[in-house]
Amino acid sequence: MQPFFLQLKFILQLFCVSFIWLASTSFSLGVCQQQSSRQFRPLSVPSLKKTTKQLKPINKLLGEPQPGQWLAHQKESGQSFSEYLRSRPLTLTPARHTLYVQPIGNFNPSQQEIIKLSSEYLSIYFSCPVKILDPQSENEIPATAKRTHPTQGNHQLLTSHLLEKQLAPQLPSDAFALIAFTESDLWPGDGWNFVFGYASFRERVGVWSLSRFGNPASDPESFRRCLERTCKLATHETGHMFSIKHCTLYACNMQGSNSLQESDSQPVHLCPECHAKIIFATQADPVKRIDNLISFSQRHGLKQEIEFLKKAKKILDD
């Protein structure tokens, strides 16, 4: 059990978050950039291919999939960086350069903080501005798009309604994508139990649920774990919006997963091939991006990422 003053400190932090959420429900998170005298020009394709080769030694190749894992059931060919380029991928442009986050539902203070921090992480991961919109009420969702799970008994929202009727019509003109977070569980229709998240890449809208990631208000470790899971889900699904397919070669954030357990075993960082895709799509400075990812990970306890990121930074700095 934690000392009382630590518990009080955690509660006061959540209270402050709640106050900020209520006082200002729409704000912008700019890309976090550290001051540097290093001049940067976007990397060319040959430079990115060279970087891919340099990063390979610190990445873990996947072995044979185990029963129950994603690749044991899904036949996927993967996608190299060269194949990605040939697919004419969606990228940030001067006209479409911002990620928008739409909260849907009534979030407690710790969930509000999870959304805020996950949005900050998205801005670092994809090197672009992120704007959090005013929360929408579930009262706006019709009864035909809600259900109680027939065996588990939990409240669920229909993903197709959220994507087609609520999100797509409100997609801002400067949006690369619009992403919704809900406190409720999600299901995509008949024959499905639930999904963690769902997206329409053609419409550039997606929705993710916090409901199965644990109660972040329980204690600091539950909060940290929920944040890590949410950051992983949000960046994985947004990666698909940048035309990135599931990774089948390395331990990578873009791996598919069949369960929360499988997802927890996967990293938040990207393999060499998927890293090159994101740098190409966002024209980011890879060293500044990693600096900012390290800083975020240190501040919020994403310890499993720090050692890998420091190794990657050393390689990219040389």
Side-chain angles (χ1 to χ4, degrees):
M1 179 176 293
Q2 288 189 321
F4 175 77
F5 72 91
L6 288 180
Q7 295 181 14
L8 180 60
K9 179 180 178 182
F10 185 65
I11 292 169
L12 287 173
Q13 288 173 337
L14 295 182
F15 175 79
C16 292
V17 170
S18 180
F19 177 78
I20 292 170
W21 182 281
L22 292 172
S24 179
T25 55
S26 180
F27 57 94
S28 174
L29 293 167
V31 180
C32 300
Q33 296 288 1
Q34 296 179 349
Q35 294 297 320
S36 173
S37 58
R38 180 174 177 268
Q39 296 298 312
F40 174 74
R41 289 183 296 177
L43 297 183
S44 65
V45 169
S47 295
L48 285 170
K49 289 184 176 180
K50 179 182 177 181
T51 297
T52 299
K53 293 180 180 179
Q54 292 172 324
L55 290 172
K56 281 184 179 180
I58 65 170
N59 282 264
K60 179 183 176 182
L61 289 168
L62 295 178
E64 286 295 317
Q66 300 301 305
Q69 291 185 336
W70 178 265
L71 287 177
H73 300 277
Q74 305 294 330
K75 303 302 180 184
E76 295 182 323
S77 59
Q79 179 192 52
S80 69
F81 178 50
S82 296
E83 289 169 335
Y84 174 77
L85 295 176
R86 290 195 294 269
S87 74
R88 301 178 65 184
L90 294 177
T91 66
L92 297 179
T93 69
R96 295 176 177 175
H97 51 72
T98 300
L99 291 174
Y100 284 84
V101 172
Q102 176 64 73
I104 299 176
N106 296 316
F107 298 90
N108 64 41
S110 61
Q111 290 172 324
Q112 293 168 16
E113 179 71 349
I114 290 291
I115 293 173
K116 176 178 175 291
L117 291 175
S118 298
S119 298
E120 179 185 346
Y121 195 75
L122 280 166
S123 77
I124 297 169
Y125 209 88
F126 296 107
S127 304
C128 69
V130 174
K131 294 182 179 180
I132 302 179
L133 303 174
D134 293 339
Q136 293 180 355
S137 171
E138 280 196 16
N139 293 335
E140 301 175 28
I141 302 171
T144 53
K146 301 174 182 177
R147 78 167 185 176
T148 299
H149 192 282
T151 59
Q152 298 175 2
N154 48 316
H155 174 66
Q156 295 184 306
L157 303 178
L158 183 63
T159 56
S160 58
H161 173 85
L162 296 175
L163 297 178
E164 298 167 12
K165 304 299 182 182
Q166 286 198 234
L167 298 177
Q170 71 175 68
L171 185 72
S173 60
D174 65 343
F176 178 79
L178 173 61
I179 302 161
F181 282 100
T182 79
E183 57 168 338
S184 297
D185 204 24
L186 298 171
W187 107 100
D190 293 341
W192 290 80
N193 282 319
F194 77 95
V195 287
F196 294 119
Y198 210 80
S200 170
F201 306 134
R202 183 174 60 85
E203 300 291 343
R204 308 195 319 281
V205 292
V207 58
W208 334 129
S209 170
L210 304 182
S211 69
R212 294 179 183 255
F213 288 168
N215 181 6
S218 295
D219 53 70
E221 174 55 24
S222 296
F223 183 91
R224 188 207 65 78
R225 186 167 57 249
C226 181
L227 175 62
E228 184 175 66
R229 288 168 170 171
T230 307
C231 286
K232 190 179 295 186
L233 174 67
T235 50
H236 174 100
E237 297 297 344
T238 305
H240 284 318
M241 292 183 173
F242 281 92
S243 308
I244 300 177
K245 294 182 179 181
H246 278 146
C247 187
T248 60
L249 186 59
Y250 292 96
C252 174
N253 187 27
M254 292 309 299
Q255 288 176 254
S257 63
N258 263 344
S259 66
L260 186 58
Q261 181 181 11
E262 185 176 10
S263 178
D264 283 344
S265 71
Q266 297 165 350
V268 187
H269 65 254
L270 295 165
C271 75
E273 301 285 341
C274 295
H275 172 265
K277 298 168 194 175
I278 286 298
I279 299 302
F280 174 83
T282 63
Q283 296 292 286
D285 180 335
V287 175
K288 280 189 177 181
R289 177 180 177 274
I290 286 183
D291 277 337
N292 292 324
L293 288 172
I294 290 172
S295 176
F296 184 97
S297 299
Q298 290 174 330
R299 284 183 283 119
H300 301 293
L302 306 186
K303 297 178 182 178
Q304 71 176 33
E305 293 298 298
I306 295 172
E307 181 180 356
F308 175 89
L309 291 170
K310 286 183 176 179
K311 289 179 181 178
K313 174 179 164 56
K314 186 176 186 305
I315 290 170
L316 295 175
D317 263 336
D318 290 343

